[in-house]
Amino acid sequence: MKKIAVINGPNLNLLGVREKSIYGDTSFDSYFAGLKSRFENVELTYFQSNCEGSIIDEIHRVGFDVDGIVLNAGAYTHYSIAIADAIRAVKAPVVEVHISNVHSREEYRHVSMIAPACRGVIAGFGLKSYDLAVEALL
Ligand code: DQA
């Protein structure tokens, strides 16, 4: 069975509550239950943290074990060289994911520090971006 780790960064614990016009009204927990049922043949795990160091620790922890990582680093995407370095340090390929189309938003969201370290980037398809990322990693 393939193993894929989903990692969410800051403020993504408030999905379904936060800025619903941008991020929708579904909580990640309920979305994740559906994701698991759509990919029954994949061992999917989920981790979320609002702290940069904890995200890095989790990338280190799973990054030599799983077959791929789906990472929505939230705002850290735009300025965390440390997360980019963590992605480069591990074995598992990482797909950068965004719920919103970051390129149609503020200019500071157009920059990704982590994209060059990732296998690919999926943005703008709502929560379906995570489904697409899992599919891409399989
Ligand atoms: C986001 C986009 C980021 O710019 C923002 O800081 C987020 C969420 C997204 O999924 O669309 O927190 O990563």
Side-chain angles (χ1 to χ4, degrees), residues 22-23 98-105 109 122-126 129:
I22 300 173
Y23 300 114
H98 300 287
I99 297 161
S100 64
N101 179 355
V102 283
H103 298 287
S104 68
R105 299 180 63 194
R109 295 186 205 275
I122 297 171
F125 297 98
S129 296

Side-chain angles (χ1 to χ4, degrees), residues 19-33:
E19 298 182 278
K20 290 185 189 182
S21 60
I22 300 173
Y23 300 114
D25 54 14
T26 308
S27 73
F28 199 80
D29 281 349
S30 73
Y31 169 74
F32 191 64

Side-chain angles (χ1 to χ4, degrees), residues 5 7 47 51-66 68-69 71 80-92 94:
I7 301 177
F47 174 86
C51 304
E52 187 177 23
S54 305
I55 294 165
I56 292 167
D57 285 342
E58 184 66 7
I59 292 170
H60 293 175
R61 196 183 71 80
V62 299
F64 295 94
D65 178 43
V66 297
I69 297 173
L71 173 64
S80 178
I81 296 167
I83 292 178
D85 284 349
I87 294 167
R88 289 194 180 94
V90 299
K91 224 177 97 207
V94 177

Side-chain angles (χ1 to χ4, degrees), residues 35-54:
L35 186 71
K36 282 205 284 195
S37 70
R38 287 188 290 285
F39 292 96
E40 275 178 332
N41 55 340
V42 181
E43 199 179 308
L44 282 165
T45 57
Y46 175 54
F47 174 86
Q48 188 276 332
S49 175
N50 296 319
C51 304
E52 187 177 23
S54 305

